[in-house]
């Protein structure tokens, strides 16, 4: 396993749904370089949303029906029929459709039976409801990746290649293994230089991969495989480039791919929801000095974005302008704050109680502004803060960030502020640490897109 060029590659759900293109652009792009690569695959686009809930809109899926003890078996059978339709669509690229239908059909039938048993246990009142619901969530999540990984191995096998379906879901495996141990055990007798490995993005472990990582679980599996098998590079295939700005906002003709950056920048992006990789997945790779390459699966000739520990742009510049319009500014104004040591500890204790993490924090003598995700701004949180502090208010705003590995230059903040002012955008709050990797501007929500265009035009062109 310590050979010099093992690559672990993650393929996202949207890309997996275009699998014939993935074969040509990624897997078999260089037919003499198809081994020594482990592919960690997500479920096909929309499948995990149907199993759990929609990742962006939070529209409930099968999991919610189970939680509320509604008619989830009907929905699961409808999903099974949808997966059969997906299978039929891959017949022309080599999938043995009947075998693939039997594989996922059997697992959905068994999953329904397991969930029905859980229903009975829940009704008995003898077990903790929270723990059983977590187990159901893990069971449901595993189905999507089992389906796509099995299909991928079958298709490439029928094209004449040695393949391995590496099922990390622990399906019908009662052994109490940790996530790391299951990965080690699953790859123990596999030579990745002699076979093409397709591993499930979901890994079953005693600690429960979704307890801590929830929908980021496939990237955590990808990261752990890369670290445990000593990969030389961890590659993420997406349906777009990691660009200097959102092409839909700043314009396709102006946005350009970022060729190199570092882990610090990747963390800044993740903090506002523009994840190159889940931060809890990137940290083990960073610690083990494994570079990450983010590639556009549909632009295979482009080398992508290489993320390393020590990259610093040779010339001072902003690499990426991004942000979020799904945030709220939580303002705490209290005249007792001035000169009071540890005053904001009380805020942090309440945040910890409600599982809230802030994106940005701006303070003066008697006011603290905290930028948090709007969905975390619950009535209970506000009520408890209001009981403790003199005045608490909230506003639905946007945060726009200018990020780079080397933006520490005189006048860059002034240049950014001038660009915003020129377009009549008022800066409500601003934040930057002395490390100078991320300038954060809080603006009115209806100015979110224009603020990005203004900053991109002034700083990234």
């Amino acid at each position: 396993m310590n050979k010099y060029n093992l690559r672990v590659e993650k393929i996202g759900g949207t890309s997996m749904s275009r699998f014939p293109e993935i074969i040509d652009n990624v897997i078999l792009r260089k037919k003499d370089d198809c081994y020594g690569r482990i592919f960690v695959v997500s479920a096909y686009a929309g499948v995990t949303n149907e199993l759990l809930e929609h990742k962006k809109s939070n529209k409930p899926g099968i999991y919610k029906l189970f939680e509320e003890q509604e008619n989830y078996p009907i929905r699961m059978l409808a999903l099974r029929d949808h997966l059969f339709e997906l299978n039929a669509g891959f017949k022309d690229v080599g999938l043995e459709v009947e075998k693939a239908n039997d594989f996922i059909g059997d697992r959905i039938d068994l999953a329904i039976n397991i969930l029905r048993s859980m229903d009975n246990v829940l009704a008995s009142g003898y077990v903790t409801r929270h723990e059983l619901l977590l187990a159901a969530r893990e069971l449901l999540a595993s189905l999507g990746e089992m389906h796509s990984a099995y299909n991928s191995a079958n298709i490439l096998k029928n094209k004449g290649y040695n393949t391995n379906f590496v099922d990390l879901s622990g399906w019908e495996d009662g052994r109490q293994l940790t996530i790391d141990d299951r990965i080690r055990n699953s790859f123990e007798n596999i030579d990745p230089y002699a076979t093409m490995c397709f591993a499930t993005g979901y890994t079953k472990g005693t600690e429960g991969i979704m307890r801590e990582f929830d929908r980021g679980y496939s990237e955590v599996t990808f990261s752990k495989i890369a670290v445990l098998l000593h990969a030389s590079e961890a590659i993420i295939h997406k349906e777009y480039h990691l660009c200097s700005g959102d092409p839909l906002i700043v314009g396709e003709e102006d946005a350009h791919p970022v060729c190199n950056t570092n882990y610090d920048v990747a963390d800044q992006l993740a903090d506002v929801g523009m994840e190159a990789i889940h931060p809890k997945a990137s940290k083990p790779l960073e610690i083990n000095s494994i570079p990450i390459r983010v590639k556009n699966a549909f632009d295979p000739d482009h080398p992508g974005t290489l993320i390393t520990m020590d990259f610093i742009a040779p010339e001072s510049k902003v690499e990426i302008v991004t942000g979020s319009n799904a945030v709220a500014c939580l303002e705490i104004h209290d005249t007792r704050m001035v000169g009071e040591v540890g005053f904001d500890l009380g805020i942090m204790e309440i945040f910890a109680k409600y599982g809230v993490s802030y994106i940005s924090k701006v303070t003066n003598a008697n006011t603290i502004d905290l930028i948090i995700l709007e969905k975390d701004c619950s009535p209970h949180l506000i009520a408890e803060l209001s009981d403790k502090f003199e005045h608490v208010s909230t506003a639905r705003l946007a945060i726009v960030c200018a990020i780079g590995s080397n933006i520490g230059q005189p006048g860059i903040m002034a240049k950014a502020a001038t660009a915003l002012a020129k377009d009549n955008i008022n800066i409500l709050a601003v934040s930057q640490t002395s490390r100078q990797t991320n300038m954060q501007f809080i603006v009115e929500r209806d100015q979110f897109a224009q603020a990005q265009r203004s900053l991109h035009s002034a700083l990234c062109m």
Side-chain angles (χ1 to χ4, degrees):
M1 283 296 180
N2 288 314
K3 294 185 182 180
Y4 66 95
N5 195 31
L6 178 65
R7 288 145 294 165
V8 176
E9 308 186 33
K10 162 89 166 49
I11 305 175
T14 303
S15 299
M16 285 298 296
S17 293
R18 298 166 63 178
F19 198 68
E21 293 170 80
I22 292 298
I23 294 172
D24 294 335
N25 292 347
V26 176
I27 300 170
L28 299 182
R29 180 169 172 261
K30 296 179 181 178
K31 290 187 171 58
D32 59 349
D33 186 32
C34 56
Y35 298 120
R37 304 167 71 189
I38 296 170
F39 298 100
V40 180
V41 301
S42 294
Y44 297 115
V47 172
T48 307
N49 287 343
E50 179 66 20
L51 286 162
L52 302 178
E53 65 279 315
H54 196 283
K55 193 171 184 179
K56 293 183 178 178
S57 71
N58 215 35
K59 179 182 176 182
I62 292 168
Y63 171 74
K64 190 68 174 177
L65 293 177
F66 173 77
E67 183 183 18
E68 296 182 354
Q69 295 183 307
E70 296 182 10
N71 196 351
Y72 61 85
I74 292 294
R75 187 92 165 259
M76 287 192 73
L77 293 175
L79 175 65
R80 180 197 63 188
D81 293 342
H82 172 58
L83 299 185
F84 286 178
E85 289 176 11
L86 289 177
N87 289 350
F90 294 127
K91 181 178 181 179
D92 290 345
V93 289
L95 181 67
E96 295 174 276
V97 174
E98 189 173 340
K99 283 186 177 180
N101 287 350
D102 287 345
F103 173 83
I104 193 60
D106 287 348
R107 278 152 181 77
I108 286 178
D109 288 344
L110 184 53
I112 292 172
N113 290 335
I114 294 171
L115 290 173
R116 280 176 170 153
S117 298
M118 287 183 175
D119 261 342
N120 293 332
V121 175
L122 277 173
S124 73
Y126 285 110
V127 298
T128 305
R129 177 178 173 80
H130 176 69
E131 287 299 315
L132 206 60
L133 287 175
L134 275 176
R137 191 168 174 80
E138 300 246 351
L139 171 70
L140 288 168
S142 70
L143 292 169
E145 276 81 18
M146 276 193 283
H147 176 227
S148 59
Y150 174 89
N151 284 5
S152 302
N154 181 266
I155 289 169
L156 270 298
K157 177 184 176 183
N158 292 327
K159 288 185 175 296
Y161 294 89
N162 295 327
T163 66
N164 242 300
F165 165 47
V166 185
D167 188 0
L168 300 173
S169 70
W171 195 255
E172 296 185 282
D173 182 353
R175 291 179 299 168
Q176 297 295 299
L177 299 176
T178 66
I179 294 168
D180 285 2
D181 284 344
R182 189 170 301 282
I183 290 171
R184 288 191 191 97
N185 183 267
S186 298
F187 282 97
E188 188 175 20
N189 297 314
I190 294 175
D191 179 1
Y193 296 93
T195 186
M196 205 180 286
C197 297
F198 292 93
T200 56
Y202 171 85
T203 306
K204 179 182 176 183
T206 50
E207 61 270 54
I209 199 167
M210 299 193 73
R211 279 180 173 84
E212 185 173 358
F213 309 113
D214 202 55
R215 291 292 290 270
Y217 63 83
S218 62
E219 289 189 353
V220 172
T221 292
F222 157 75
S223 171
K224 284 182 173 290
I225 292 173
V227 169
L228 292 170
L229 302 188
H230 310 290
S232 62
E233 192 169 80
I235 304 170
I236 301 173
H237 298 281
K238 293 181 176 285
E239 66 275 15
Y240 49 80
H241 287 292
L242 181 60
C243 285
S244 59
D246 184 341
L248 298 177
I249 293 176
V250 305
E252 290 189 14
E253 68 283 358
D254 291 328
H256 53 269
V258 176
C259 294
N260 294 87
T261 194
N262 61 32
Y263 278 98
D264 193 354
V265 168
D267 287 344
Q268 305 304 321
L269 296 174
D271 203 35
V272 289
M274 183 185 171
E275 289 184 5
I277 180 173
H278 193 287
K280 290 184 178 179
S282 67
K283 201 53 59 180
L285 297 170
E286 180 180 355
I287 291 168
N288 288 274
S289 299
I290 298 173
I292 300 172
R293 190 179 297 276
V294 181
K295 293 201 65 173
N296 182 337
F298 308 105
D299 186 7
D301 294 327
H302 193 283
T305 304
L306 186 64
I307 302 172
T308 56
M309 285 184 63
D310 53 3
F311 175 81
I312 300 293
E315 295 181 3
S316 184
K317 65 176 182 178
V318 168
E319 294 165 18
I320 300 170
V321 169
T322 186
S324 173
N325 62 351
V327 299
C329 178
L330 179 61
E331 182 180 278
I332 297 170
H333 176 79
D334 197 313
T335 56
R336 299 167 297 177
M337 188 184 304
V338 60
E340 184 70 23
V341 175
F343 183 88
D344 55 355
L345 175 60
I347 303 172
M348 295 301 100
E349 287 173 341
I350 295 173
F351 271 34
K353 176 180 176 180
Y354 288 94
V356 174
S357 175
Y358 64 84
I359 298 168
S360 183
K361 178 181 179 183
V362 185
T363 71
N364 64 22
N366 51 26
T367 303
I368 297 177
D369 282 353
L370 296 136
I371 306 301
I372 65 176
L373 293 175
E374 186 181 351
K375 67 180 180 65
D376 290 336
C377 206
S378 68
H380 294 295
L381 173 72
I382 304 307
E384 191 158 340
L385 288 168
S386 297
D387 287 343
K388 190 176 182 71
F389 303 106
E390 287 179 358
H391 181 72
V392 177
S393 62
T394 62
R396 298 165 69 242
L397 300 173
I399 184 170
V400 178
C401 306
I403 300 170
S405 59
N406 179 11
I407 64 173
Q409 56 174 291
I412 190 167
M413 179 72 76
K415 191 175 181 181
T418 299
L420 293 172
K422 183 180 176 182
D423 288 324
N424 297 312
I425 297 169
N426 183 33
I427 301 170
L428 302 174
V430 63
S431 175
Q432 178 181 266
T433 69
S434 59
R435 190 172 176 83
Q436 297 186 83
T437 54
N438 186 356
M439 293 185 291
Q440 300 177 322
F441 301 93
I442 312 306
V443 299
E444 297 289 353
R445 187 169 289 187
D446 61 3
Q447 296 181 316
F448 175 63
Q450 184 56 52
Q452 289 182 76
R453 287 191 286 268
S454 301
L455 290 177
H456 190 272
S457 177
L459 305 175
C460 296
M461 301 295 286

